[in-house]
Structures are given as structure tokens and as C-alpha cells.
Amino acid sequence: MGTGRRGLIATAVAVVCAVTVLAAPGTAFAAPEPPAPTASAVPAPPPGQDLEAVREKLDRLYRAAARATDEYNAAEEKADKQSAAVVELAGKIVEGKERLRELEARAGAAAAAQYRGGGLPPEAHLVLSDDPQDFLDGAGRVRQGHHATKGLLGELARTQQDLEQYAKDASAQWKKLEAGRKAKAAAQKRIEKQIAQAEKLESALQKEEQERLAELEKEAAKKAQTAWLDSGVLSRTSAEGSAQGRKAVAYATAQIGKPYRWGAEGPKAYDCSGLTSQAWISAGRGIPRTSQEQWKRLRHVDIEDMRPGDLIIYFGDASHVGMYIGDGSIVHAPRPGRDITVAGAGTMPILGVVRPDAG
């Protein structure tokens, strides 16, 4: 077996091993993303002091976790495509090797037949024939043999070239998967760090302080919603959603009360974009998995034109998403430690509105 064959077999083994790794629970890959800003540099005020500062820090910590969650979710989405590509390449390499063995066997059989004929080429046997009819029949067979031999050699060369290309593609894809594995692990580490810091900060508060903090959060949300409503935006919005939009809203609102969990797509828990993407899948429309990709790839509509089923993207980095359900409200999965709920659409800074409906 030549060195080229050995290299291809080694590549096939590596690809099959890669497929095995991809099948392991908890493994996902994605291209590296820019690191999310950390909120850990913000000093935590002592318990009992400046609860507004505590509220602001918690908001920053959970927003940092949301950005990292978007990176993690992007990793999961890309992993599906990359895994499929690796599996396809592995199949092509295996099929190509089988075909190469078959062609080599045919070439070996042809060489053996020539050897049994005394080593003389078909042209020599033809010239030595005394029978004119045998000569004519032999001439046709020689031409057929030439074509067959030429075709066999050509197919051998093409199969070898295909295998070499599959090996190169497999190697390149594996490098992407390996880089993505590291990026996904880094995103998970950032999520867990930010959530742990937020939980530690909250647990350090006295019961009365925790209750007051919850009141501050409600007051901030109410103030933002009131300002948004006072802008008059609802006076220009449509009250009717599409048939698909109504189905998506029905799905999303049916999940109210279920917990937020980063990276989750249901049915027992969701993160913000897991809820919106699954709601629209239930309505027959597949949309991107992450809030950032939903903002990039779905059709933008003016906020005055939004209708139930549209998605409202929040913050300048598109790190949160909720589904508009009408009457100035959204249904969304807020953050770790909270359940899916209905909230005012204007309680967070709105980046824009996108519409998943086909067409």
C-alpha cells in the first residue's frame, strides 16, 4: 500500500473519531466570537448600602451572561452544520476507499490476464492471427480493450484525486471544530462566572434588602414602560397579527411560568432566543437560534408597524429578545433565576423590531 493510501486511511480514521467525539453529550462547536465585556470590575457595595448600585451591577452581570449565552447558542447552531459536514466527509472517504480498492482489483486482474497470455500485448496476438474474420473480430476487441483500459486508469486517477480532496476538507473541518470547541467552552465559563457573581451578590443581601431590590426593579421597569407608552407609539401599531404570528404567540404564552435556563430550547425551560425560535418553529417558520442572528437575518420593520408575533430586539448588542403579543406587552424569558413572563415592551432599551413571517 502506497504512502498516499496510508495517509487517506489515517485521515478517515481521524474523521470517524471526530464524529464519535461530536456525538458525546455536552459537546458543541462554533467559530470564535469576540469576548463579552465583563461586569466583574464593578465593585459590589456592602450589604445594606446603595441598593440602586446593587441593582445596576446585577443588571450588568446578567447582561454579560446574556452576551455569553448568545455566543454559546451560536456555537450550538454551528455545531449542527459542522457535525453534518464531518459525517458527510467521513462517508465520502469510506465510499471512495471502497471504490479505489475495486478499481485496483480490476486493474490487477487485467495485468494478470496479460501475463497469462505470454506477456504479449493484444496487438501482437492480433497480427499473428491467420483467420481474416478472427483478425476483424480481434481488431474490435483491441479497440474496446483500449477504451476500457483508458477509462479504468482515468477513473483510478479521479478517485485518488477525490480522496485527497476529501482528506484536505476533513482536515480543515476538524480544525474549525477544534477551534470552535475552545470558543464554546470559553463562553460557558463566562456564563457560569457572571451568574455565580450575581447569585453571590444577591445572597449577601438581607431579606428586607432583597425585597427592596425587587421593588426597585419593578419601579425601574414601570418608569421605562411609562415613558415608552407616553411616546404615543401604540397609537400607530397594528392590533392584528398574521396566522403564523398568532400561532407563535400562542406557543410562547403557553410557556409562561417555566424557568429561564441558558442554552435551553424547551420544553421544560428556555432562554430568551430559545423561546422565540421554538415559538416560530411551532408556527411552521424556522428562524435563527440567537437574538443577534435574529436581528441580523430577519426582516426589520418600523416599531410603529409591529404586530403580535414580531420580535423586539433589546440593547445595542442585540443580547435579548422578546415576542410582542399586543397591547404594549411582550412575553419573554428574562434571565437566570426568573420565569417566563409577560412584561411591558418598553421596559428595556429597544434596538429594533424584526418579523419572522415568510414573505
Side-chain angles (χ1 to χ4, degrees), residues 24 31 63 68 78 181 262 279 333:
R63 282 198 56 209
K78 290 177 183 177
R181 182 189 67 79
W262 62 266

Side-chain angles (χ1 to χ4, degrees), residues 1-9 92-108 152-164 166:
M1 182 183 293
T3 57
R5 288 286 309 284
R6 285 196 296 270
L8 287 168
I9 292 174
K92 287 182 177 179
I93 289 174
V94 172
E95 290 175 3
K97 285 175 58 198
E98 291 290 339
R99 181 58 177 161
L100 192 62
R101 280 195 290 266
E102 177 188 336
L103 292 171
E104 288 175 342
R106 286 171 54 190
L152 177 61
L153 294 176
E155 190 169 358
L156 269 168
R158 287 191 300 273
T159 301
Q160 181 68 34
Q161 290 171 355
D162 287 345
L163 279 171
E164 291 173 357
Y166 295 153

Side-chain angles (χ1 to χ4, degrees), residues 51 202 205-219 338:
L51 285 176
E202 288 184 290
L205 298 174
Q206 300 295 325
K207 181 180 179 181
E208 295 78 7
E209 291 173 322
Q210 292 177 354
E211 292 173 352
R212 177 56 184 154
L213 180 63
E215 287 300 320
L216 287 174
E217 291 176 350
K218 290 179 182 178
E219 289 172 9
R338 300 292 173 81

Side-chain angles (χ1 to χ4, degrees), residues 119-260:
L120 293 176
E123 293 89 342
H125 288 287
L126 182 61
V127 170
L128 294 175
S129 174
D130 293 328
D131 190 315
Q133 186 60 45
D134 286 346
F135 181 88
L136 292 174
D137 294 341
R141 286 195 296 272
V142 167
R143 285 193 299 271
Q144 293 173 359
H146 280 173
H147 288 310
T149 301
K150 186 176 180 181
L152 177 61
L153 294 176
E155 190 169 358
L156 269 168
R158 287 191 300 273
T159 301
Q160 181 68 34
Q161 290 171 355
D162 287 345
L163 279 171
E164 291 173 357
Q165 186 60 51
Y166 295 153
K168 290 178 182 178
D169 292 345
S171 178
Q173 191 64 253
W174 174 250
K175 289 178 181 178
K176 289 181 181 179
L177 293 175
E178 187 63 17
R181 182 189 67 79
K182 295 177 182 178
K184 181 243 183 181
Q188 179 174 344
K189 188 175 181 180
R190 285 195 298 275
I191 294 167
E192 293 171 346
K193 179 181 178 181
Q194 304 301 336
I195 293 176
Q197 287 181 329
E199 290 175 344
K200 182 178 179 180
L201 181 58
E202 288 184 290
S203 65
L205 298 174
Q206 300 295 325
K207 181 180 179 181
E208 295 78 7
E209 291 173 322
Q210 292 177 354
E211 292 173 352
R212 177 56 184 154
L213 180 63
E215 287 300 320
L216 287 174
E217 291 176 350
K218 290 179 182 178
E219 289 172 9
K222 183 178 180 180
K223 182 179 179 181
Q225 176 73 355
T226 299
W228 183 71
L229 292 175
D230 287 346
S231 70
V233 64
L234 285 187
S235 64
R236 299 183 294 275
T237 57
S238 171
E240 293 295 328
S242 66
Q244 276 190 315
R246 291 192 294 272
K247 288 181 180 179
V249 167
Y251 179 97
T253 53
Q255 312 313 310
I256 291 173
K258 294 183 179 180
Y260 175 105

Side-chain angles (χ1 to χ4, degrees), residues 304-320:
E304 293 86 357
D305 297 327
M306 69 178 177
R307 64 192 188 192
D310 288 348
L311 306 182
I312 302 181
I313 309 297
Y314 293 96
F315 305 108
D317 56 6
S319 57
H320 190 69

Side-chain angles (χ1 to χ4, degrees), residues 260-314:
Y260 175 105
R261 189 174 74 239
W262 62 266
E265 299 177 83
K268 295 182 179 180
Y270 299 82
D271 62 21
C272 67
S273 57
L275 176 64
T276 55
S277 60
Q278 289 301 309
W280 271 97
I281 287 173
S282 76
R285 177 69 170 170
I287 65 173
R289 168 66 177 89
T290 70
S291 58
Q292 292 180 346
E293 287 300 307
Q294 289 169 3
W295 174 245
K296 289 178 184 176
R297 293 165 52 187
L298 297 179
R299 180 161 55 102
H300 291 206
V301 296
D302 291 336
I303 195 168
E304 293 86 357
D305 297 327
M306 69 178 177
R307 64 192 188 192
D310 288 348
L311 306 182
I312 302 181
I313 309 297
Y314 293 96

